[in-house]
């Protein structure tokens, strides 16, 4: 790649945490409302996000552009790496390979997931209020449910392990002790954020989301 | 009685060979008589004296590179039973047999186990891994180094450019221009020196270009593979901090 890869790689590392890492945590917490407070909690979360100011700008500069840069440059980074876990069976070396594998899985998953949800709202096929029922349809299909669990685990692992690497790449955790402690914290982040997403996926399978959807549909039909 | 048992003991080698830099590698098996306290180099010397394969056929003696035989020169690095290390400190008694020897193929193979480590010396030139003190007059003594700092800097100075860390790194390959862990650790060493510190920006700048420090993907194989126990990942993280600071200072015009 032409130009100075120091800047592009550094930007890639930064964007993975700010804003993308922040986004994934907010996304997980919003979804978790579905588990904790049911359809109403989830739709309140969706309402809250949609009531933020300058939504189109936030979406473009906070999500779409960073996601495209991080994803496409990340594919190039993955292409540049060898896998030598056969020769060096160390945990960190496995994480190195897993970071690249989960990155590619996340790349595919995020495009597919955005197409199924946000793009459908753009197309006018569904409204923001109907996202709960869309998720109910997706999560109720066993195949989609499994694929979503795989996609979510890949994305959250990529974020958590990426957070660990970010702390090194920016020179925050330097010694082996600091890096070991940060790896425990990042493992904790992986467990907690994964739980948020998986519990909400389970919650989306509930009938109340299908009913809430038909109620919302009835409301729009009346209106 | 004990002597006859020792005499019948033998050591098996399976060696990856290559006749020219561009020819295809192939393997050959050797079986040589065991002697007490053998290392891989003395095994290779035995093959050189009597270049016969284990099937009895004669072959050209195996080529290898070695020099100091006490793990300080870095010349005899090769892949022994799957792990890159020095052949001189690889004791036959401690190795599983058959002993598999391969060249460190991250580097250009010259012949058999001989590799060309020129890229490592090129990397040291690129990051200016020296302290410039030459001039037209005597500059006098430089600033003193604190003893506490000298102690950890000494560990970094043990690097013998052997190339094991580059062989272990998944990001040192044909598709990647990563300079490798060794040169980054040398930047930390020379930047730690009170006189070397006067030119530290030049070395940081060299690592902030294409193929510099950003090529590190944190697999941390290097620190585990290093035969001298150099804290390579600590060096990389410390230089990450220094390059980050240098980047912002340059942007702010400080």
């Amino acid at each position: 790649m032409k130009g100075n890869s120091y800047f592009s790689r550094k930007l890639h590392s930064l964007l993975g945490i700010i804003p993308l890492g922040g986004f994934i945590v907010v996304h997980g917490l919003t979804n978790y409302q579905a588990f904790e407070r049911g359809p109403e909690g989830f739709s309140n979360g969706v309402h809250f996000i949609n009531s933020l100011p300058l939504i189109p700008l936030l979406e473009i500069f906070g999500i779409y552009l960073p996601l495209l840069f991080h994803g496409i440059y990340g594919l190039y980074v993955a292409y540049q790496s060898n896998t030598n876990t056969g020769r060096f069976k160390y945990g960190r070396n496995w994480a190195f390979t897993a970071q690249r594998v989960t990155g590619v899985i996340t790349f595919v998953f995020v495009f597919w997931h955005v197409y199924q949800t946000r793009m459908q709202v753009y197309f006018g096929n569904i409204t923001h209020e109907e996202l709960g029922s869309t998720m109910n349809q997706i999560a109720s299909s066993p195949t989609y449910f499994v694929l979503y669990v795989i996609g979510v685990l890949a994305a959250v692992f990529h974020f958590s392990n990426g957070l660990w690497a970010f702390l090194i790449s920016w020179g925050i955790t330097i010694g082996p002790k600091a890096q070991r402690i940060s790896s425990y914290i990042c493992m904790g982040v992986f467990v907690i954020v994964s739980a948020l997403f998986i519990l909400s996926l389970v919650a989306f399978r509930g009938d109340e989301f299908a009913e809430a959807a038909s109620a919302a549909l009835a409301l729009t039909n009346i209106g | 009685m004990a002597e006859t048992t020792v005499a019948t003991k033998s050591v098996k080698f399976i060696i990856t060979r290559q006749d020219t830099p561009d020819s295809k590698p192939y393997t050959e098996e050797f079986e040589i008589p065991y002697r007490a306290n053998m290392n891989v180099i003395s095994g290779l010397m035995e093959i050189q004296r009597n270049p016969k394969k284990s099937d009895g056929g004669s072959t050209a003696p195996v080529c290898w590179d070695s020099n100091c035989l006490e793990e300080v020169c870095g010349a005899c690095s090769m892949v022994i039973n799957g792990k890159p290390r020095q052949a001189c400190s690889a004791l036959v008694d401690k190795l599983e047999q058959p002993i598999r020897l391969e060249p460190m193929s991250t580097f250009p193979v010259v012949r058999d186990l001989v590799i060309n480590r020129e890229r490592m010396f090129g990397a040291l030139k690129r990051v200016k891994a020296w302290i410039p003190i030459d001039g037209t007059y005597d500059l006098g003594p430089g600033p003193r180094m604190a003893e506490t700092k000298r102690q950890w800097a000494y560990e970094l100075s043990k690097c013998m450019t052997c190339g094991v860390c580059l062989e272990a790194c998944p990001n040192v390959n044909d598709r990647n221009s990563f300079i490798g862990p060794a040169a980054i650790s040398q930047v930390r060493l020379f930047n730690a020196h009170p006189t070397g510190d006067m030119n530290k920006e030049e070395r940081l700048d060299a690592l902030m270009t294409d193929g510099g420090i950003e090529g590190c993907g944190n697999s941390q194989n290097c620190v585990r593979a290093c035969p001298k126990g150099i804290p390579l990942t600590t060096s990389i993280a410390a230089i990450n901090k220094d390059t980050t600071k240098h980047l912002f200072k340059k942007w702010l015009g400080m």
Side-chain angles (χ1 to χ4, degrees), chain A residues 94-109:
Chain A
W94 280 105
F96 170 88
T97 300
Q99 184 70 358
R100 277 135 189 88
V101 172
T102 55
V104 175
I105 296 174
T106 308
F107 187 87
V108 175
F109 172 66

Side-chain angles (χ1 to χ4, degrees), chain A residues 8-41:
Chain A
S8 18
R9 191 70 178 75
K10 208 88 173 167
L11 184 65
H12 176 262
S13 172
L14 178 68
L15 290 179
I17 305 303
I18 308 164
L20 297 176
F23 172 73
I24 205 168
V25 171
V26 170
H27 192 340
L29 289 170
T30 311
N31 284 12
Y32 185 66
Q33 297 299 303
F35 179 80
E36 205 174 62
R37 299 200 174 87
E40 202 174 327

Side-chain angles (χ1 to χ4, degrees), chain A residues 30-46 128-140 199-217:
Chain A
T30 311
N31 284 12
Y32 185 66
Q33 297 299 303
F35 179 80
E36 205 174 62
R37 299 200 174 87
E40 202 174 327
F42 178 69
S43 73
N44 283 345
V46 174
H128 282 292
E129 288 71 28
E130 287 163 337
L131 279 172
S133 72
T134 308
M135 281 315 297
N136 174 262
Q137 284 164 16
I138 294 170
S140 301
L199 288 177
S200 48
L201 271 176
V202 171
F204 280 133
R205 300 183 72 144
D207 288 336
E208 66 273 22
F209 276 95
E211 283 158 18
S214 48
L217 204 65

